[in-house]
Amino acid sequence: MKQKAVIMDEKAIGRALTRISHEIIEKNKGIENCVLVGIKTRGIYIAQRLAERIEKIEGSKVPVGEVDITLYRDDVLKKESNNEPLFEGIFVETDLNEKIVVLVDDVLYTGRTVRAAMDAIMDRGRPSKIELAVLIDRGHRELPISPDFVGKNVPTARMENVLVELKEVDQEDQVSIQENISL
């Protein structure tokens, strides 16, 4: 049986994204050289929300792209005949060379998704810097990856699941922890 505890509601998510938007602007002294790249699926919607907030603050748009890292993962077996991962896709209309790319995801856990996204970005260009923005950092890293911008740190047990629900996909905004409980 699974028990679910809501740890962020719609307002808390909104506040966290507004704070992250300000932090991105401040750290990069504006947004003129920045590109937001959301990791499929929920990272894309978070990146779009960040871009909307940044535009309201700065008065200009920041380019937004998306990356599907499914087949860049080192724990996925499907590869091309030359043993290279199949290129699933990074969709960014802006040249990434010499740009500050802010990768955006919903939850940071082991770091494998972020590593795969960085591989996809590097296949597309050579940014001057890659930063990481996540709504939730739950710990348990397997790779030396650390976020630059965090909505909320949520220490978890490995047996727990962090579930991010967004209106664009799930019809509501909330973050919850699901814990497996035996009867």
Side-chain angles (χ1 to χ4, degrees), residues 92-118:
V92 182
E93 293 182 10
T94 304
D95 178 19
L96 298 180
N97 290 309
E98 299 305 314
K99 299 284 189 207
I100 298 167
V101 173
V102 181
L103 268 177
V104 181
D105 206 1
D106 57 348
V107 178
L108 177 58
Y109 183 36
T110 64
R112 291 185 181 281
T113 298
V114 174
R115 187 213 43 88
M118 288 190 301

Side-chain angles (χ1 to χ4, degrees), residues 50 57 83 87 123 136 150:
L50 290 171
I57 298 164
N83 209 27
F87 183 70
D123 280 351
I136 303 293
V150 178

Side-chain angles (χ1 to χ4, degrees), residues 13-183:
I13 290 171
R15 285 189 300 270
L17 295 179
T18 298
R19 181 175 37 77
I20 290 170
S21 299
H22 282 281
E23 290 173 357
I24 289 170
I25 294 164
E26 186 170 329
K27 181 173 185 175
N28 295 299
K29 298 176 177 70
I31 52 139
E32 61 206 42
N33 213 23
C34 293
V35 178
L36 300 177
V37 178
I39 299 173
K40 188 178 179 182
T41 293
R42 285 167 184 79
I44 295 167
Y45 300 113
I46 294 170
Q48 291 168 347
R49 291 183 187 191
L50 290 171
E52 290 168 6
R53 283 169 168 77
I54 288 170
E55 184 177 1
K56 284 180 183 173
I57 298 164
E58 287 290 289
S60 59
K61 292 184 180 211
V62 60
V64 179
E66 61 186 70
V67 61
D68 179 353
I69 54 84
T70 305
L71 295 175
Y72 270 87
R73 299 253 334 196
D74 60 1
D75 51 358
V76 174
L77 299 176
K78 191 172 180 183
K79 307 257 184 185
E80 290 192 34
S81 60
N82 64 1
N83 209 27
E84 290 296 315
L86 286 168
F87 183 70
E88 271 300 287
I90 178 167
F91 305 100
V92 182
E93 293 182 10
T94 304
D95 178 19
L96 298 180
N97 290 309
E98 299 305 314
K99 299 284 189 207
I100 298 167
V101 173
V102 181
L103 268 177
V104 181
D105 206 1
D106 57 348
V107 178
L108 177 58
Y109 183 36
T110 64
R112 291 185 181 281
T113 298
V114 174
R115 187 213 43 88
M118 288 190 301
D119 286 348
I121 286 169
M122 297 305 283
D123 280 351
R124 177 71 188 267
R126 293 292 179 256
S128 62
K129 185 188 326 184
I130 299 176
E131 298 173 340
L132 177 60
V134 296
L135 183 60
I136 303 293
D137 182 356
R138 65 172 289 191
H140 303 290
R141 224 71 84 236
E142 294 174 4
L143 299 172
I145 291 175
S146 180
D148 298 279
F149 313 103
V150 178
K152 185 174 183 82
N153 286 295
V154 181
T156 61
R158 286 195 180 270
M159 66 187 175
E160 293 175 314
N161 293 319
V162 174
L163 178 63
V164 174
E165 295 174 283
L166 299 176
K167 285 182 181 175
E168 295 89 341
V169 180
D170 310 294
Q171 287 67 56
E172 68 179 327
D173 281 353
Q174 71 177 18
V175 179
S176 58
I177 296 179
Q178 291 183 332
E179 184 176 358
N180 290 323
I181 298 177
S182 306
L183 290 176

